[in-house]
Amino acid sequence: MELILDGKNILNKSLLYKQLKMQINNEEFIGENLDALWDVLTMYNKITIIIKNDALLKRNLNNYYDSLIILFEDLVKINENNKIIYER
């Protein structure tokens, strides 16, 4: 699975989850919080997370950005098939 998060398009937390839900397209992903995101992403064996315009994404999400990145980094730690790519 490939997830693309672009700071130009994700202006707030609500749009973040809208983008994620469209890309993940899994009926199990019903919450709009990091716990729900973790639960659904750990169902997959290989995830590539592409973060574009991360400075904008960080500005748009404020402190939530840090928690999101920690979640993604934890996904990489538990499964070497997962990876994060930053495109600036």
Side-chain angles (χ1 to χ4, degrees):
M1 173 192 313
E2 183 175 276
L3 299 176
I4 300 172
L5 302 177
D6 190 339
K8 288 184 178 179
N9 301 323
I10 299 172
L11 306 177
N12 55 46
K13 194 164 79 169
S14 177
L15 288 174
L16 167 69
Y17 282 105
K18 183 177 180 181
Q19 287 288 318
L20 286 169
K21 284 184 176 191
M22 284 191 314
Q23 293 180 55
I24 295 170
N25 194 23
N26 183 319
E27 292 177 6
E28 300 290 323
F29 188 19
I30 56 174
E32 291 191 0
N33 58 64
L34 294 174
D35 288 335
L37 180 59
W38 176 262
D39 289 345
V40 76
L41 290 181
T42 55
M43 299 169 94
Y44 296 91
N45 187 42
K46 185 176 181 180
I47 303 168
T48 300
I49 301 160
I50 300 171
I51 299 176
K52 298 181 178 184
N53 301 298
D54 66 313
L56 279 174
L57 187 61
K58 185 172 185 166
R59 186 187 77 201
N60 294 341
L61 295 178
N62 298 310
N63 294 335
Y64 203 76
Y65 173 88
D66 296 327
S67 298
L68 181 67
I69 296 303
I70 290 169
L71 182 145
F72 292 154
E73 290 172 348
D74 286 348
L75 280 172
V76 172
K77 287 178 188 173
I78 67 163
N79 186 339
E80 63 186 23
N81 293 321
N82 298 333
K83 62 183 173 180
I84 306 168
I85 300 171
Y86 292 89
E87 292 183 1
R88 302 195 198 283

